[in-house]
Amino acid sequence: AQSVAQPEDQVNVAEGNPLTVKCTYSVSGNPYLFWYVQYPNRGLQFLLKYITGDNLVKGSYGFEAEFNKSQTSFHLKKPSALVSDSALYFCAVRRSARQLTFGSGTQLTVLP
Amino acid sequence: EAQVTQNPRYLITVTGKKLTVTCSQNMNHEYMSWYRQDPGLGLRQIYYSMNVEVTDKGDVPEGYKVSRKEKRNFPLILESPSPNQTSLYFCASSLSQGARNEQFFGPGTRLTVL
């Protein structure tokens, strides 16, 4: 069965420092992986996805994610965090041709 | 502007009183889906639709109904709401093959069932 884990409920980082939000997955076959962000009182917004090809995927707002097949991970990264990056981040993995499985979410707080 | 809209945004109701949450998208997307978001559980899929008149159950369909009579609309119906359906609900849409393409989410509907 496909699943995705976000091991950290909360990540705090100082503004200007690099940030990492972790995601590991379990899926049969080729994984399709996604990151979404949710700002307060808003719906989820798509950040980036890995379908195939380069292991380093670049997305919106300066975010990137590295697909690591051997470690079954898809960590979200940004070289220099901004206070405005503070939000709830969700990793998702394709479960079937028609469905995604979402992780439980990681609250990122960037401290000024 | 390309968007997914939901109404109402906030709703407080009582147990057993039927309600409908509307969802509409203007992107001509084939795939639409409903999720509920609960703390610590992430998003769980309620129902999804691959196209008009084609709907299927997600992970937590009990107590919910949907219909897809038009491509742009995908209402969520709670025939007899119960307190355990208090949650934040999101509608989403995407091009065909929903699990390959990114989904566009509505702003959410916060439902409280007393």
Side-chain angles (χ1 to χ4, degrees):
Chain A
Q2 283 80 354
S3 64
V4 59
Q6 293 181 243
E8 300 161 318
D9 292 334
Q10 174 84 39
V11 170
N12 295 326
V13 63
E15 187 174 28
N17 282 1
L19 70 85
T20 299
V21 182
K22 296 179 180 178
C23 172
T24 59
Y25 66 90
S26 172
V27 63
S28 57
N30 294 324
Y32 293 173
L33 297 156
F34 299 79
W35 276 102
Y36 288 85
V37 60
Q38 184 180 27
Y39 298 102
N41 300 314
R42 301 284 296 276
L44 278 72
Q45 296 178 30
F46 168 74
L47 276 179
L48 50 80
K49 67 180 177 182
Y50 172 84
I51 303 297
T52 187
D54 290 340
N55 290 342
L56 186 63
V57 179
K58 294 189 182 297
S60 306
Y61 312 121
F63 283 93
E64 58 189 28
E66 186 170 10
F67 170 65
N68 188 317
K69 188 172 183 177
S70 62
Q71 298 186 5
T72 62
S73 67
F74 189 56
H75 300 332
L76 181 70
K77 300 182 180 184
K78 188 173 183 182
S80 179
L82 300 172
V83 172
S84 57
D85 292 330
S86 298
L88 185 58
Y89 290 82
F90 289 97
C91 182
V93 64
R94 176 194 188 217
R95 188 174 62 190
S96 70
R98 305 173 179 188
Q99 294 178 283
L100 294 179
T101 295
F102 284 84
S104 56
T106 298
Q107 180 67 48
L108 172 69
T109 300
V110 181
L111 305 168
Chain B
E1 179 188 357
Q3 60 182 347
V4 178
T5 56
Q6 294 179 228
N7 282 292
R9 292 290 311 278
Y10 302 90
L11 180 59
I12 300 174
T13 189
V14 296
T15 298
K17 187 176 181 181
K18 181 179 179 179
L19 66 91
T20 299
V21 183
T22 64
C23 172
S24 183
Q25 50 91 8
N26 62 2
M27 295 169 281
N28 202 35
H29 284 169
E30 294 178 353
Y31 181 95
M32 297 186 75
S33 181
W34 276 103
Y35 297 90
R36 60 178 289 174
Q37 182 182 8
D38 301 290
L41 296 177
L43 275 76
R44 293 180 292 168
Q45 191 176 48
I46 303 170
Y47 269 94
Y48 64 96
S49 170
M50 295 296 290
N51 213 323
V52 176
E53 303 290 2
V54 180
T55 63
D56 209 346
K57 295 178 180 178
D59 297 314
V60 288
E62 294 77 20
Y64 304 95
K65 286 176 56 177
V66 294
S67 68
R68 188 90 181 272
K69 294 184 171 61
E70 304 165 283
K71 197 171 188 178
R72 64 183 293 126
N73 296 325
F74 191 45
L76 179 69
I77 303 159
L78 283 72
E79 294 269 2
S80 183
S82 62
N84 64 12
Q85 293 179 298
T86 293
S87 188
L88 181 58
Y89 291 86
F90 289 103
C91 180
S93 73
S94 71
L95 293 170
S96 61
Q97 296 187 39
R100 180 181 180 92
N101 295 290
E102 58 269 27
Q103 296 187 24
F104 293 78
F105 284 80
T109 295
R110 186 167 292 281
L111 173 65
T112 301
V113 183
L114 303 175

